[in-house]
Amino acid sequence: MRIAVAEFSHETCTFCPDPTTVERFERGGVQRGRAVLEHSRGIPCYINGFMRVLEAEKDVEIIPIIDAPMPPGPYTSWLTKECFEKYTGEIVEGVKAATGGAGGLDGVLLALHGAMAVREFPKPEAEIVRRVRAAVGPKVPIMVTLDLHANEDHELTDAADGVFVLKTYPHVDSQETGEIAARCMVDAVRGKFHPVQAIRKPGIICASIYQGSEQHPMKDVYDRCRAWETREKDVYCVSVAPGYAYSDVPDVGITVIAVTNGDRELAERVAQDVSDFIWSLKESYSRPLPKPREGVAHVLDLVAKGVRPVVIADHSDRTGDSTHILKELLAQGGRNFGLCAIADAKVVKELERTAKVGDTVTVAVGGYASEFSGQPVEVTGKIEFLGDGAYVLTGPMNKGRRTGGGLVVSLDLGNNNHLIVADKMRSSLDAGGFTSVGIDVGSLDIVVLKDRIHHRAYWDSVAKADVPIDAPGLGPADLSTLPYENIPKDIYPLGPQWRKS
């Protein structure tokens, strides 16, 4: 049995200013051939999940083609046609070569995202699978894994034999989802399993900050999915992607996909049941969040009452240079805080050229990428770290993956306040984002992260409170502030029939 493996993934914030290019993908790190497997081995990711299943089978040969994962932040906008064609083309040429080689090709496993956006192709993941289908023919199974933030509709399930979506946010089940897809593939090739899919779109769009899988409403939704998988032996997998609201695309919004063993009526019934349940919870997919002034005041009050540490989730910043939270912390007299990080390549490169560790410097940071970034904030601090900020993740998400590379400066602003400035967007999925630049996390009362939910996989075990603050940004909780052009006109809660007068 010969199974091809490839990944091409991007979560596209179409409201960001800069396009997503080939250069950006290559700079982020694209693996080809055998390096695809070795780069992912031991990392809890989709491809490692594929390998764990396939390598346990004595008669399976893995044909690795390409791994083009989403590059590190900041977020970028629409993929250029050149970028889409290049990596899709490499996948197609790879499966063609494998199909025409000795032994042919028995299946294709694709790790996609679901929230890629390309102006020339309104539904790019479906386009990728259609092209692979044309290359391998109608009888070769194609299984697809998707991120939980996928925006998809029937065009993808029409092209693929099985589509499987993460069930956790923070995403700690990427490897497990890869294993689910790979097991389906092996059993399908052997004729032991006959995947049948049903898909529903409940017609709801929601911000990422409301999609945590351990909080209502998504916990209730995933519990219902698992109940179906447990109760009915022919229900193989029930997936729900709450979607990515920051891609202005026609298939935006929540997606339900049910995969059964040969039972179409059951698949349709399950998908409809879960879709109806989601619709019944529609008002739970949004709630008011504090703005910077009131949010920071609330956090300082918590600390004053002995609640520490408190995480501030600066969830709406997609460019990394937003200064709204920093400005308020300084204005309101915040102490013992660490902020990871303000993205400002100009500042860090100038400090690399003109300063050294131990110097006291005054710089104006951030506030340049978009109208939502705020104004540059002038700070004076002692350089406590200046250099490459790379470290290895040790928390639950992507454990073992090297991250954070690039030029980083950490400034001690006094009052045990620490500001990290980096040449690109940087957050801290675990304490390493701080400890790697010499900051004692245990001394902090307030930890500020440019993140929405992912940090919670680690920080919920450390912090006593997690406070999302809805600062201005390109990923806001209030979706009505975004200039959509391509989303469905009747989607809840943005359609005119849902808006409060």
Side-chain angles (χ1 to χ4, degrees):
M1 186 187 304
R2 303 177 78 239
I3 308 296
V5 168
E7 176 172 9
F8 180 24
S9 176
H10 195 264
E11 185 175 89
T12 310
C13 181
T14 60
F15 302 105
C16 284
D18 298 323
T20 304
T21 62
V22 170
E23 187 276 334
R24 179 156 178 76
F25 262 93
E26 293 296 327
R27 182 157 40 95
V30 177
Q31 308 297 324
R32 295 171 172 87
R34 297 302 302 179
V36 170
L37 305 183
E38 298 314 312
H39 182 72
S40 294
R41 189 175 301 279
I43 306 297
C45 62
Y46 303 106
I47 290 178
N48 193 53
F50 296 162
M51 286 191 288
R52 284 170 61 88
V53 171
L54 299 181
E55 290 180 344
E57 301 290 330
K58 295 181 180 180
D59 62 341
V60 174
E61 178 186 0
I62 304 175
I63 312 298
I65 299 172
I66 188 171
D67 181 6
M70 183 173 176
Y75 278 72
T76 47
S77 193
W78 302 90
L79 272 74
T80 64
K81 185 178 181 182
E82 174 196 18
C83 183
F84 178 80
E85 294 287 4
K86 175 176 176 57
Y87 298 113
T88 302
E90 289 193 42
I91 294 172
V92 171
E93 290 306 311
V95 297
K96 281 183 177 178
T99 301
L105 190 64
D106 296 293
V108 181
L109 285 165
L110 296 175
L112 306 179
H113 187 285
M116 181 183 290
V118 188
R119 291 190 186 279
E120 291 82 2
F121 303 101
K123 300 172 184 180
E125 280 88 359
E127 179 67 16
I128 293 168
V129 178
R130 282 192 291 262
R131 293 187 186 187
V132 171
R133 172 65 67 206
V136 301
K139 296 183 179 180
V140 174
I142 301 172
M143 306 296 174
V144 174
T145 61
L146 295 177
D147 188 278
L148 179 147
H149 297 108
N151 298 318
E152 296 295 344
D153 66 8
H154 69 92
E155 291 193 24
L156 180 63
T157 53
D158 287 349
D161 294 274
V163 178
F164 308 96
V165 185
L166 297 178
K167 284 190 174 75
T168 63
Y169 185 25
H171 303 336
V172 294
D173 63 333
S174 300
Q175 176 177 295
E176 179 183 344
T177 303
E179 291 173 355
I180 290 169
R183 288 194 193 99
C184 186
M185 172 66 74
V186 170
D187 287 345
V189 172
R190 289 179 174 156
K192 296 180 179 179
F193 189 85
H194 304 280
V196 171
Q197 302 181 96
I199 188 168
R200 294 291 188 277
K201 298 287 287 185
I204 300 171
I205 187 171
C206 61
S208 302
I209 195 66
Y210 304 121
Q211 297 175 359
S213 58
E214 291 303 308
Q215 292 83 44
H216 175 79
M218 288 311 301
K219 184 180 187 305
D220 303 315
V221 172
Y222 291 126
D223 285 348
R224 198 173 188 95
C225 293
R226 294 184 177 100
W228 271 112
E229 292 168 350
T230 302
R231 187 167 65 245
E232 296 281 349
K233 67 180 180 64
D234 284 333
V235 175
Y236 181 72
C237 185
V238 186
S239 297
V240 174
Y244 188 64
Y246 310 111
S247 284
D248 183 14
V249 294
D251 51 355
V252 75
I254 300 178
T255 305
V256 181
I257 301 173
V259 180
T260 67
N261 184 12
D263 192 330
R264 182 165 301 281
E265 186 278 331
L266 178 60
E268 299 287 352
R269 179 156 50 92
V270 172
Q272 189 63 51
D273 172 77
V274 175
S275 180
D276 290 344
F277 181 64
I278 290 169
W279 182 255
S280 75
L281 302 174
K282 61 183 179 299
E283 294 180 359
S284 300
Y285 288 95
S286 62
R287 68 181 187 276
L289 295 178
K291 300 301 181 183
R293 183 174 298 174
E294 61 178 306
V296 168
H298 172 59
V299 169
L300 294 179
D301 183 58
L302 288 175
V303 171
K305 293 176 179 176
V307 179
R308 65 172 300 277
V310 178
V311 167
I312 293 177
D314 186 4
H315 75 95
S316 58
D317 185 11
R318 293 304 200 273
T319 51
D321 70 315
S322 171
T323 59
H324 301 286
I325 305 299
L326 174 62
K327 177 182 176 182
E328 284 298 329
L329 280 168
L330 295 173
Q332 296 187 40
R335 303 171 69 93
N336 302 319
F337 72 75
L339 192 158
C340 184
I342 299 289
D344 197 323
K346 183 178 179 180
V347 165
V348 295
K349 289 177 181 176
E350 179 64 15
L351 291 177
E352 181 186 41
R353 187 180 68 83
T354 62
K356 62 183 184 301
V357 172
D359 288 353
T360 297
V361 297
T362 298
V363 291
V365 299
Y368 60 85
S370 83
E371 60 185 300
F372 300 103
S373 299
Q375 297 299 312
V377 172
E378 185 174 275
V379 295
T380 298
K382 182 179 179 180
I383 298 177
E384 53 190 347
F385 179 90
L386 174 58
D388 184 5
Y391 62 100
V392 176
L393 289 164
T394 59
M397 190 170 170
N398 293 331
K399 184 176 182 179
R401 181 79 79 191
R402 186 173 175 84
T403 189
L407 185 59
V408 174
V409 176
S410 181
L411 299 174
D412 182 345
L413 306 182
N415 296 320
N416 196 35
N417 293 334
H418 303 269
L419 172 64
I420 300 172
V421 187
D423 63 356
K424 56 180 176 288
M425 192 169 184
R426 176 186 177 94
S427 190
S428 186
L429 292 178
D430 57 35
F434 292 94
T435 59
S436 63
V437 297
I439 297 173
D440 177 11
V441 176
S443 73
L444 301 178
D445 291 338
I446 302 168
V447 174
V448 185
L449 304 174
K450 304 283 190 177
D451 190 62
R452 290 144 292 284
I453 301 292
H454 284 321
H455 66 276
R456 301 191 68 156
Y458 169 81
W459 289 101
D460 275 5
S461 67
V462 175
K464 299 303 181 183
D466 187 290
V467 179
I469 293 179
D470 196 29
L474 295 170
D478 183 359
L479 302 179
S480 68
T481 63
L482 296 174
Y484 290 109
E485 296 179 356
N486 302 305
I487 66 173
K489 301 302 182 186
D490 60 348
I491 200 164
Y492 181 90
L494 299 183
Q497 69 271 45
W498 308 116
R499 296 177 190 167
K500 295 178 182 179
S501 57

